[in-house]
Amino acid sequence: MITSKVISNGILRAITTILGVSLILYFLYQVQTVIVYLCVSLILCLIANPFVKFLKEKLKFNSSFAAITTIVFFILMMIGFILLFVPLIISQANNLSLLDTDSLQKQFLLIERDFESYFNLQHLDWQTLLKKPEITSKLDFSYFTAFINSIVNMLAGFGMGLVSVFFITFFFIKDQSIFKENAKRVLPDKNEDKILNSITKINHLLTRYFIGLLLQLTVVFILYFIVLVIFGSENAFVIAFLCAVLNIIPYVGPIIGTILAAILTMLSLIGGDFQTEILPKTIYIVVGFLVVQAIDNNVSQPIISSKSVNSHPLEIFLITLISGITFGIVGMIIAIPFYTCLKVIAKEFFPNNKVVIVLTEKI
């Protein structure tokens, strides 16, 4: 029999549940930066697993020394990545004649005039335009100060985040076995085996996935580099490397990389003839990049991604597309790892479900 006491108790439980969930979500929102650090550290740990295994089994390193060696390797790679851009920055600084403002202005006006002449565009007098009171009144130069402050804060945050990620990654690598033993103590006995099996399979598949991703980026980098060398682009290695890294973002990253390559190509050719030198070479490089992307999207990416996580290429494409539409660029990046985790967990806990059987037959 339903009484007023039962109803009130049900309402109180519902309110308590809602408040509890709200507090948990609010707490997760407040510590979202820490969660990001943990996720990045976990990814680095998964990528480093084969390297750590090699150090322990072949070179007989203990856990601490293997972890230190791995972190040093990551730091050296990051420093090398930063140093790669020094020649590019110096080259573009020279091309733009940053130390000669008169030459810079003449070169800019020259490229603007060539561009307008080739595409039959109407000339815009920027000096006259900026002197109009209705435009100058709307210009707020305080944004410049705010922009500089945001850059400083971003660099400080990046430095703190970098130290935090390497610190967490060190202990993830060093104490993996300890974490597993402690997890066994905390997990409920009823589902302990299923949870541990899920973690083991997820660890294995995601390690394969991230190694496969590195392989895919290497293939794209080599193809980009070949295109840039064929058409005589300056700093071909750095530009190809940067554009390959942008390929981490599915579908959108290659477009950004192509635009970036076109801009850097045009900047490196400032002072040349726009119609016979700058525009043709830029078009050739853009077409070359589009061919590389076609090869990557239709051959290397589906094969490598599907083989690494044991999923069909069409399945990978649809999951990435749906995640991109729903959650944007971040969703596209995390789509495959997250979907892989869900498949492994579903197979462990719902092995007799027909849909799960079909989706996880290769896992």
Side-chain angles (χ1 to χ4, degrees):
M1 181 177 179
I2 300 176
T3 62
S4 58
K5 184 177 181 180
V6 173
I7 295 173
S8 61
N9 287 336
I11 293 173
L12 287 174
R13 282 196 297 270
I15 293 174
T16 303
T17 302
I18 293 172
L19 287 175
V21 172
S22 300
L23 287 173
I24 292 173
L25 292 176
Y26 177 74
F27 174 75
L28 293 176
Y29 175 77
Q30 292 296 319
V31 298
Q32 58 181 314
T33 303
V34 177
I35 295 174
V36 171
Y37 293 163
L38 290 171
C39 291
V40 174
S41 299
L42 181 60
I43 291 172
L44 290 177
C45 182
L46 291 172
I47 294 173
N49 271 339
F51 182 64
V52 173
K53 186 177 180 181
F54 171 79
L55 293 177
K56 288 182 177 180
E57 295 181 358
K58 302 297 182 180
L59 301 182
K60 306 302 180 183
F61 285 14
N62 60 34
S63 296
S64 298
F65 196 41
I68 293 172
T69 304
T70 305
I71 295 299
V72 171
F73 177 72
F74 280 139
I75 293 174
L76 291 176
M77 284 187 62
M78 185 191 67
I79 294 173
F81 177 77
I82 294 173
L83 292 178
L84 276 176
F85 292 95
V86 173
L88 178 63
I89 295 171
I90 294 174
S91 174
Q92 298 308 321
N94 292 331
N95 289 331
L96 291 171
S97 304
L98 292 179
L99 299 178
D100 187 350
T101 55
D102 292 335
S103 176
L104 175 62
Q105 183 178 9
K106 289 177 182 178
Q107 290 175 347
F108 177 78
L109 292 174
L110 177 63
I111 230 179
E112 180 188 9
R113 186 167 59 253
D114 288 341
F115 192 85
E116 292 169 352
S117 173
Y118 186 79
F119 290 101
N120 196 24
L121 299 175
Q122 184 178 0
H123 177 68
L124 293 176
D125 190 346
W126 295 103
Q127 292 183 349
T128 305
L129 190 64
L130 290 174
K131 289 179 181 178
K132 291 184 178 181
E134 60 269 22
I135 294 179
T136 54
S137 62
K138 295 179 181 180
L139 294 176
D140 186 2
F141 292 99
S142 63
Y143 285 115
F144 179 75
T145 304
F147 174 75
I148 296 298
N149 289 334
S150 66
I151 293 294
V152 173
N153 292 332
M154 183 183 69
L155 291 175
F158 178 77
M160 179 180 176
L162 200 62
V163 173
S164 301
V165 165
F166 282 138
F167 185 79
I168 296 170
T169 304
F170 170 77
F171 286 103
F172 274 0
I173 295 172
K174 174 179 175 291
D175 297 327
Q176 287 188 62
S177 57
I178 296 177
F179 291 147
K180 291 178 182 178
E181 291 298 324
N182 290 334
K184 290 181 180 180
R185 298 177 184 177
V186 176
L187 296 175
D189 295 334
K190 182 179 179 181
N191 297 318
E192 179 179 331
D193 291 337
K194 292 180 179 179
I195 295 174
L196 290 177
N197 288 336
S198 298
I199 293 174
T200 302
K201 289 182 180 178
I202 289 171
N203 183 34
H204 174 67
L205 289 174
L206 290 187
T207 298
R208 289 178 56 183
Y209 169 72
F210 288 115
I211 292 175
L213 182 62
L214 290 176
L215 177 61
Q216 177 201 341
L217 297 184
T218 302
V219 172
V220 171
F221 161 72
I222 293 172
L223 294 176
Y224 279 163
F225 181 69
I226 291 173
V227 170
L228 292 169
V229 169
I230 289 174
F231 296 110
S233 176
E234 293 185 10
N235 299 299
F237 185 89
V238 181
I239 297 174
F241 185 81
L242 180 59
C243 294
V245 171
L246 289 172
N247 263 48
I248 292 175
I249 308 173
Y251 309 112
V252 178
I255 297 174
I256 299 173
T258 303
I259 295 173
L260 179 63
I263 293 173
L264 292 174
T265 300
M266 295 182 71
L267 288 176
S268 66
L269 296 172
I270 282 181
D273 185 74
F274 183 80
Q275 186 172 348
T276 61
E277 186 177 357
I278 298 177
L279 187 61
K281 182 175 286 190
T282 303
I283 292 175
Y284 294 150
I285 288 177
V286 169
V287 171
F289 270 49
L290 292 177
V291 171
V292 172
Q293 290 165 24
I295 295 172
D296 178 54
N297 292 333
N298 295 286
V299 181
S300 61
Q301 184 179 20
I303 292 176
I304 293 174
S305 297
S306 62
K307 293 294 183 182
S308 61
V309 295
N310 295 331
S311 297
H312 194 277
L314 180 59
E315 190 179 355
I316 296 293
F317 173 77
L318 292 176
I319 292 299
T320 304
L321 186 62
I322 293 170
S323 299
I325 294 173
T326 308
F327 301 106
I329 292 177
V330 175
M332 297 176 76
I333 295 174
I334 67 172
I336 298 176
F338 185 72
Y339 178 64
T340 302
C341 294
L342 289 181
K343 285 176 64 174
V344 171
I345 294 171
K347 185 170 184 177
E348 285 295 329
F349 286 88
F350 309 101
N352 298 320
N353 185 282
K354 293 182 179 180
V355 176
V356 173
I357 291 172
V358 171
L359 291 176
T360 61
E361 61 180 350
K362 293 183 180 180
I363 296 181

